[in-house]
Amino acid sequence: CPRAATRQVFPRRPTVAMASFVPSSVPAVLRPSVPAALSLVPTHPALPRHATTSLNTRYSPLADPACPTAVAFPSAPTPSPTSGPSLLLFRADLRLADHPALTAALEYSSPARLTLVYVFDTRTFGAASDRESYAMALFTLQAVTELRNEIRARGGDLMVRVGRTEQVVADLCSRLRVRRVYASSAGANDTRVDSALRERMETEGVEILSPEDDAISSVRKSQRIPEDAFAYKRDPSRYVEFLTPVDEPERLGALPSHLEAGDMPSMKDLGYTEVNGVPFSVAGGAKEGWAAIRAGSKRHAKCSCSYSLYLVTGCLSKRELYTKVDELPLNAATVRSELLWGEYWRLKSCTSARSIASRPLSIAS
């Protein structure tokens, strides 16, 4: 038979699951939460702007995208000339301090032209009625309530909606004539929401940028992350530069006059009925997170149980925790070790996914 022809095909989008690079021994809270198909480059305000991955653009190879060099970023974002209105979709980043997507949005738009929104997606909330789901929904509701209060204290407001994320965002983009949306990833458990949002924004012709929210470092120029994780943990500064947390903005803009902020939903509105014996009784929100850490007992000083839930929901920043750990009643060595362990696998995931995505596949036809 004739010899099969071989052609070189480049994949349209990397589809390597970041979690597949992480050992099962790593705590879930410290696993990379950003799906590889959404954001593969460690992005932060301190990194070059080209390191921000757009959710609706194809893979764009850089000279060495996994190894950008961190630089000192000012304590407060310096606005650049306004380029147009934009929308910031809060997701698993329920805070104002050290918020990469918010910082990037304020560089693109003035506070008056930036609209802030949070959507209680019906595919996530109300989809299950067990005790754990009820407790997590209540925690998130409290965190969003605190976030709205903090935004209002700075002269702005947070629009709150219940529905499908892509439909709400598309409607707002149409009404406000927004062509750029900033949104951190919703996490590995909400990849279907990410996919639906990306596809809808592509249809609407809206650019959606997803700065990575949980990076605490960037690889030094001319350095590579070693294969031995323990070598990295013994001397991480040899391989990476740690990112400096960014201060929260002092002022935010009000919503357009023709839009209503919306009422905060109740648990019943989200599809939950009263559940007895909620698994945990901690309150959600950034302030509550720092208060819980500072009030932590000696029993919690050597584990992540006093702050892990706040990291998962983005109430606290990993960069800020890493920077302030010496000032907190925590075992600094243990906390740094846990954060560095998760950071190592995040960086290795980025590097491995880039390598696979840029490698041509030989497919017989």
Side-chain angles (χ1 to χ4, degrees):
C1 62
R3 186 176 181 179
T6 301
R7 57 191 177 90
Q8 299 291 312
V9 179
F10 289 85
R12 297 178 64 188
R13 188 185 301 276
T15 57
V16 179
M18 296 179 74
S20 64
F21 296 95
V22 186
S24 58
S25 59
V26 179
V29 64
L30 300 179
R31 293 169 178 265
S33 60
V34 182
L38 300 185
S39 180
L40 294 176
V41 186
T43 55
H44 182 271
L47 301 181
R49 290 198 181 190
H50 63 257
T52 301
T53 301
S54 173
L55 295 189
N56 64 347
T57 56
R58 300 304 178 193
Y59 172 72
S60 176
L62 303 174
D64 195 0
C67 303
T69 302
V71 295
F73 193 76
S75 58
T78 303
S80 59
T82 302
S83 299
S86 61
L87 186 145
L88 172 63
L89 175 64
F90 283 95
R91 308 183 82 185
D93 49 1
L94 302 177
R95 65 182 187 277
L96 293 180
D98 193 36
H99 196 298
L102 178 58
T103 301
L106 288 174
E107 288 183 344
Y108 177 78
S109 302
S110 65
R113 306 191 72 185
L114 173 63
T115 303
L116 310 178
V117 61
Y118 182 86
V119 181
F120 288 92
D121 198 289
T122 52
R123 287 161 294 190
T124 302
F125 294 90
S129 57
D130 55 277
R131 294 166 54 204
E132 289 75 14
S133 299
Y134 180 92
M136 194 64 193
L138 180 60
F139 182 92
T140 304
L141 182 61
Q142 294 169 342
V144 175
T145 301
E146 182 193 288
L147 177 63
R148 169 180 269 187
N149 292 336
E150 290 297 311
I151 292 173
R152 286 177 172 175
R154 289 161 177 77
D157 207 342
L158 175 66
M159 186 181 301
V160 175
R161 296 290 186 268
V162 178
R164 289 183 173 257
T165 301
E166 68 275 13
Q167 294 176 359
V168 172
V169 173
D171 177 65
L172 289 175
C173 288
S174 176
R175 298 176 65 181
L176 299 173
R177 297 184 179 182
V178 167
R179 310 314 301 169
R180 177 174 290 189
V181 173
Y182 293 87
S184 298
S185 170
N189 294 330
D190 274 333
T191 54
R192 58 178 178 172
V193 178
D194 283 328
S195 299
L197 178 62
R198 180 180 64 250
E199 292 173 3
R200 183 61 182 272
M201 293 300 100
E202 286 180 347
T203 302
E204 300 291 334
V206 176
E207 182 182 21
I208 178 165
L209 302 179
S210 182
E212 190 167 350
D213 190 61
D214 62 353
I216 66 174
S217 66
S218 65
V219 184
R220 290 180 181 274
K221 186 176 293 185
S222 74
Q223 285 287 351
R224 293 285 182 178
I225 298 299
E227 295 298 326
D228 183 2
F230 294 98
Y232 164 82
K233 288 183 65 178
R234 280 193 298 269
D235 187 15
S237 298
R238 173 184 175 184
Y239 304 100
V240 302
E241 293 186 11
F242 291 97
L243 303 173
T244 303
V246 181
D247 292 340
E248 59 190 50
E250 296 181 358
R251 298 291 299 174
L252 292 168
L255 291 175
S257 57
H258 62 283
L259 292 179
E260 295 183 0
D263 297 328
M264 195 65 65
S266 64
M267 291 296 290
K268 185 177 181 180
D269 295 331
L270 296 177
Y272 296 95
T273 55
E274 192 67 29
V275 175
N276 296 323
V278 176
F280 52 85
S281 57
V282 295
K287 286 185 176 180
E288 294 290 345
W290 291 116
I293 291 177
R294 292 188 171 95
S297 62
K298 294 182 179 180
R299 181 170 62 89
H300 291 162
K302 293 186 178 181
C303 68
S304 59
C305 56
S306 61
Y307 58 82
S308 59
L309 186 58
Y310 295 96
L311 291 179
V312 168
T313 54
C315 295
L316 300 183
S317 161
K318 290 183 181 180
R319 290 174 295 276
E320 200 167 9
L321 179 61
Y322 189 90
T323 303
K324 295 182 177 179
V325 66
D326 289 324
E327 308 168 8
L328 302 171
L330 297 171
N331 187 316
T334 301
V335 174
R336 283 202 177 95
S337 177
E338 291 180 343
L339 292 174
L340 286 175
W341 187 248
E343 181 70 0
Y344 171 81
W345 289 108
R346 185 193 68 81
L347 291 172
K348 290 297 291 182
S349 299
C350 293
T351 306
S352 300
R354 285 286 187 182
S355 175
I356 293 174
S358 60
R359 188 183 307 155
L361 304 178
S362 296
I363 302 177
S365 58

